[in-house]
Amino acid sequence: MGEESMGEEIIGSEESSNRRTSPAAFFRGFLREPRQVGSVIPSSRFLERRILEASDLANAKRVVELGPGTGGTTRTFLQQLGQDANLLSIELSPFFHELLGEITDPRFINHLGSAEDLAEILESHHLGKPDVVISGIPFSKMPEPVAIRVAEAVKSNLAEGGRFIAYQFRSDVARITDPIMGSHDSCKLEMRNIPPMRVYRWFKPTAD
Ligand SMILES: C[S@@+](CC[C@H](N)C(=O)[O-])C[C@H]1O[C@@H](n2cnc3c(N)ncnc32)[C@H](O)[C@@H]1O
């Protein structure tokens, strides 16, 4: 799908644009846990488009989102996924987790917990290894041992040939993840977001 047509789908959807404008709820979540949330407003549609370009969700069957927040990104990912795919979103904030309960899509699994526990969370939902993991959690603001455990959990639990996408303001995610997953394959800067974000991608090699 070309960039323009993909943009129209996201921007032109009344549901996605209504849902995306939940900055007040997002800001309330930020005030509760500023370091954990990391941003004061949700991701822009321009950043979401960059994430989609890196993710190839149309061909994914099992997707995990780390840090869905108020669910703007979650709804955008669901729009791109096939009917036989599913999306497990793992959110640490009980406040955001409750808001995410408004998403009634049967392909969506709303889990309250930490990304560090990815293996146990997948098992608890009887899910195999995901093709794609997409993360918005702020690696630069987390204690470094936690950030390392998240990167290790992603590497161990991603399917072979799978991809890990992380959108971040700072480059700490690459400093932490490159030694664990190998060098990132791409990094694209999106200025039309507050703050500007880099979208990193890693591939997990196949065994042969
Ligand atoms: C920058 S917000 C991203 C929200 C949303 N995906 C977006 O782009 O608008 C980061 C989110 O990660 C969550 N988070 C932080 N640490 C986490 C962890 N260890 N496990 C799961 N979620 C976490 C925060 O509570 C917050 O909702």
Side-chain angles (χ1 to χ4, degrees), residues 40 68 75 147:
V40 292
R75 289 178 169 90

Side-chain angles (χ1 to χ4, degrees), residues 26 33 35-39 41-44 47-48 51 65-74 77 90-93 96 113-116 135-138 142 146 150 167 197:
F26 196 96
E33 295 286 350
R35 289 184 70 80
Q36 181 184 307
V37 176
S39 301
I41 58 171
S43 293
S44 70
L47 176 58
E48 289 180 352
I51 298 166
E65 178 183 24
L66 308 177
T70 47
T73 43
T74 314
F77 301 157
I90 303 172
E91 174 54 60
L92 192 55
S93 154
F96 286 152
S114 175
E116 295 163 85
S135 171
I137 66 178
M142 294 152 65
V146 176
V150 172
Y167 49 102
M197 290 271 183

Side-chain angles (χ1 to χ4, degrees), residues 170-186:
R170 299 185 194 284
S171 58
D172 298 74
V173 68
R175 178 178 58 75
I176 290 164
T177 307
D178 280 354
I180 293 169
M181 287 206 64
S183 297
H184 53 276
D185 132 277
S186 66

